[in-house]
Amino acid sequence: MPAKTALDDVAGPPAEAVAPLIRGIAVLRRLTEAGGALSPSGLERATGLARSTVDRITATLARTGYVRLDGRDVVLTPRVMELGNAYLAALRLPALLGARADALADELDESVSLAVADLDGIRFIHQATRRRALSVSFRIGDLLPAERTAPGALFAAERTGAEWARWRTRRAADPQDAAFPAVPPRPASAPEDSEERDGFWQRDGFEQGDDSQQGDDFQRRADRARRDGWALDDQLIEPGLVAVSVPVRDPATGRTACVASVVSHTSRHPAAGLRTALLPRLRTAVAAMEADLREAAPSRPGPAPSGLATWTTASKHELGREFVESLARGLTVLTAFGEGRSALSLTEVARATGLTRATARRALITHEHLGLVAPGPDPRTFTLTPRVLDLGFPALSRTALPRLAEPHLRALAERLREPVALAVLTGDGTEIQYTAGAGASRVLTADITVGARLPAASTSLGRVLLADAADPLPPDLAQVRDRSYVLADEELESGLRSIAVPVRDRGGRAVAAIDVATHAARRTLEDCVHDLLPALRATADRIQADLHTASRFTRVPPT
């Protein structure tokens, strides 16, 4: 078995916990820690589970759409982000405050993040990252040790004595921060040179000495953060990285709801200069965020999931023992939460999922044991915790559209035995640029080179995108918009036919297009419409479903 992480419960599971659900969540966590993909044998080693158990769990997760079996690897899919989306939607903070964070990042030309407390750590719920040669690599869902961050000091300023005692126990058990894979491990020992050693401990956020002294140092930083109302990260994570943070307070309780941070590096802003260069504007932005929270209308419950219990039963009948129904049903409980459904009773969870109260209760007991749910404001209710973000979200939170589309393109190319491509319009709208593709095993086939550009008006891909890009449209493009596809017949090259459809974002805007190319001798125009178009549209729908899930709380770049 691997070493326990910050998310592994040290106590044994309660008697009513669902063991297959515990094992399935362990598989999702190990996949997340590995960056989103592992072989079955790698999962066997990482989880300590038998290979047959790993195979049944991954088959079940593949059936739910949370992973795909890609050659020798088990790969997380964008659909697993539905679990983290449920938490973020229930929390509401990213939806209410994300635009303010993005605007501040644009104004300062620095990265801006929002983070919440997660026991002894802090976890990111929003990131507005600047694209530079030197840029911050943290992702939504990443967990950092509180003592090595500025937000951690602000959250620690509100800790109780019992919470400080728990933190000290965790620090003593994991002095190198091995349980936090998103940060570099803490150096095992300080340098021998006295002057260098003193700088090392200051940079690392601790005074030289035993664990008790180090804890005292963090508590002093927390006390200072309480007095000042802001906190500084002077290279606590790694040399060169600095940040300044301000708490965003809940208007109902006055406690810290989340912490907003501006992150830079010492070549742009020395730590001592953050107070004058960045803090005033950050405080202004936080004041606006707090006003947004005060003025926010109560959230209206969105549609709850339905028919989940029926679906899992049908899957069990179809796949037999290879489908672990208790795992699938346990995961559906997490998706019962969401916008307007931040705190649910057992009855409400059962009603939303279609599960029996007994089944829902055992799943909630299991999730509470694993730290994924906690008691709600009413003792009879439950809420999701930030730990839900650890189930696949960080590994996928920076997925670009081409990477998201590639498995779907490969499947379509294999099915049709024709080359398939994804393209976007260039900035001036005159050309398309290929961003992903899948070839076909034919002697005569279209050559798709990622990065290549072609005139938009001469390609089916380009005309589909142009039909969505301007208003009013010329008559020929108006017809394209109405029927939502383009069939190009030997316009770019003799013998080359292609048919294309748009890929639309959550707002319905065509952000890309996919096409199938063929030779005129292989398929008539009627064949292209009757045979290729339905398969092409079905693939576009799958790509759009993944795009809509992945982009609900993160930005999915088109290239």
Side-chain angles (χ1 to χ4, degrees):
M1 287 288 287
K4 284 187 176 293
T5 73
L7 300 178
D8 289 322
D9 204 308
V10 296
E16 293 181 275
V18 183
L21 180 56
I22 294 175
R23 291 192 285 265
I25 287 173
V27 167
L28 287 176
R29 284 175 169 166
R30 300 295 92 83
L31 283 169
T32 304
E33 292 166 4
L38 268 178
S39 67
S41 58
L43 279 170
E44 184 181 0
R45 291 190 297 271
T47 61
L49 298 173
R51 176 60 182 269
S52 59
T53 301
V54 168
D55 289 343
R56 292 183 66 213
I57 288 172
T58 55
T60 302
L61 294 174
R63 180 70 169 191
T64 62
Y66 294 153
V67 306
R68 72 174 188 272
L69 307 180
D70 190 353
R72 295 182 177 181
D73 287 337
V74 180
V75 182
L76 292 172
T77 70
R79 188 173 179 181
V80 78
M81 297 176 76
E82 289 178 348
L83 305 176
N85 284 346
Y87 165 74
L88 294 173
L91 184 67
R92 295 190 73 198
L93 294 177
L96 293 174
L97 309 181
R100 296 278 188 192
D102 295 344
L104 181 61
D106 290 339
E107 177 185 343
L108 299 178
D109 194 26
E110 299 287 357
S111 295
V112 174
S113 65
L114 300 176
V116 295
D118 187 354
L119 293 183
D120 298 324
I122 64 109
R123 198 180 289 275
F124 294 112
I125 59 168
H126 184 82
Q127 287 278 7
T129 304
R130 315 315 290 165
R131 285 192 171 185
R132 292 200 183 95
L134 277 176
S135 61
V136 179
S137 63
F138 293 134
R139 307 157 300 182
I140 295 176
D142 275 338
L143 179 71
L144 277 61
E147 65 274 15
R148 294 177 67 181
T149 69
L154 290 163
F155 286 119
E158 300 175 348
R159 281 183 180 171
T160 65
E163 289 169 336
W164 276 109
R166 183 193 63 207
W167 175 82
R168 290 176 184 275
T169 299
R170 196 274 302 166
R171 278 285 302 126
D174 182 20
Q176 303 304 315
D177 293 336
F180 298 87
V183 300
R186 190 185 307 278
S189 59
E192 293 183 1
D193 177 78
S194 59
E195 182 176 351
E196 184 183 357
R197 182 176 61 239
D198 292 342
F200 165 88
W201 283 110
Q202 290 173 3
R203 182 171 66 245
D204 198 45
F206 292 97
E207 292 183 352
Q208 186 179 359
D210 61 22
D211 186 72
S212 175
Q213 290 175 306
Q214 295 170 21
D216 290 343
D217 179 72
F218 181 41
Q219 195 152 9
R220 282 195 294 272
R221 289 201 293 120
D223 290 341
R224 187 165 60 247
R226 182 189 304 110
R227 292 192 306 269
D228 296 343
W230 61 280
L232 181 68
D233 170 356
D234 184 2
Q235 308 176 77
L236 300 176
I237 294 293
E238 68 178 10
L241 186 67
V242 292
V244 61
S245 300
V246 172
V248 180
R249 301 197 179 276
D250 185 327
T253 65
R255 291 178 62 84
T256 301
C258 68
V259 170
S261 303
V262 181
V263 185
S264 188
H265 59 82
T266 51
S267 296
R268 290 178 58 83
H269 292 283
L274 295 182
R275 181 172 184 172
T276 55
L278 302 178
L279 181 59
R281 187 61 192 92
L282 175 58
R283 279 179 158 160
T284 300
V286 165
M289 291 178 184
E290 292 177 338
D292 289 342
L293 293 181
R294 287 192 299 271
E295 298 165 7
S299 59
R300 296 182 177 180
S306 60
L308 297 176
T310 302
W311 178 85
T312 58
T313 299
S315 297
K316 180 65 174 179
H317 288 160
E318 181 179 343
L319 298 181
R321 69 178 305 275
E322 294 305 308
F323 185 78
V324 186
E325 189 173 15
S326 58
L327 168 58
R329 288 187 165 186
L331 292 174
T332 66
V333 165
L334 298 177
T335 64
F337 297 83
E339 185 174 1
R341 305 192 306 278
S342 60
L344 297 178
S345 67
L346 171 59
T347 299
E348 289 169 330
V349 170
R351 184 184 304 125
T353 58
L355 300 173
T356 65
R357 281 174 53 89
T359 300
R361 178 175 175 274
R362 291 192 66 201
L364 286 167
I365 288 172
T366 306
H367 290 315
E368 188 170 12
H369 164 70
L370 296 172
L372 300 172
V373 304
D378 183 318
R380 296 171 298 176
T381 63
F382 300 87
T383 62
L384 297 181
T385 75
R387 289 190 183 190
V388 175
L389 289 175
D390 201 54
L391 304 182
F393 212 94
L396 296 167
S397 65
R398 289 191 179 175
T399 300
L401 181 57
R403 181 181 173 189
L404 182 153
E406 281 171 355
H408 301 292
L409 299 180
R410 290 198 305 269
L412 182 61
E414 290 171 4
R415 174 183 171 188
L416 299 178
R417 294 193 63 232
E418 300 285 7
V420 181
L422 174 81
V424 298
L425 275 180
T426 56
D428 61 7
T430 62
E431 294 180 309
I432 62 161
Q433 180 177 6
Y434 288 107
T435 57
S441 56
R442 288 185 179 274
V443 175
L444 183 62
T445 187
D447 182 24
I448 300 169
T449 303
V450 172
R453 296 187 177 196
L454 292 173
S458 302
T459 62
S460 60
L461 289 161
R463 294 215 297 278
V464 158
L465 292 170
L466 289 172
D468 199 74
D471 205 6
L473 291 172
D476 60 329
L477 289 182
Q479 291 179 357
V480 170
R481 178 179 288 181
D482 291 340
R483 65 176 181 250
S484 200
Y485 78 89
V486 168
L487 176 59
D489 183 23
E490 303 187 75
E491 296 176 30
L492 187 65
E493 184 176 334
S494 297
L496 180 64
R497 286 177 177 157
S498 66
I499 187 166
V501 299
V503 174
R504 300 187 182 278
D505 63 13
R506 292 178 61 86
R509 183 174 62 96
V511 293
I514 60 173
D515 81 336
V516 178
T518 187
H519 190 273
R522 288 205 295 268
R523 300 184 191 265
T524 66
L525 295 177
E526 291 76 12
D527 290 338
C528 291
V529 174
H530 295 149
D531 299 338
L532 301 185
L533 183 58
L536 190 62
R537 280 180 166 159
T539 297
D541 288 344
R542 294 186 188 99
I543 295 172
Q544 286 174 171
D546 282 353
L547 174 61
H548 296 175
T549 298
S551 63
R552 185 171 180 185
F553 293 103
T554 67
R555 179 179 175 270
V556 178
T559 57

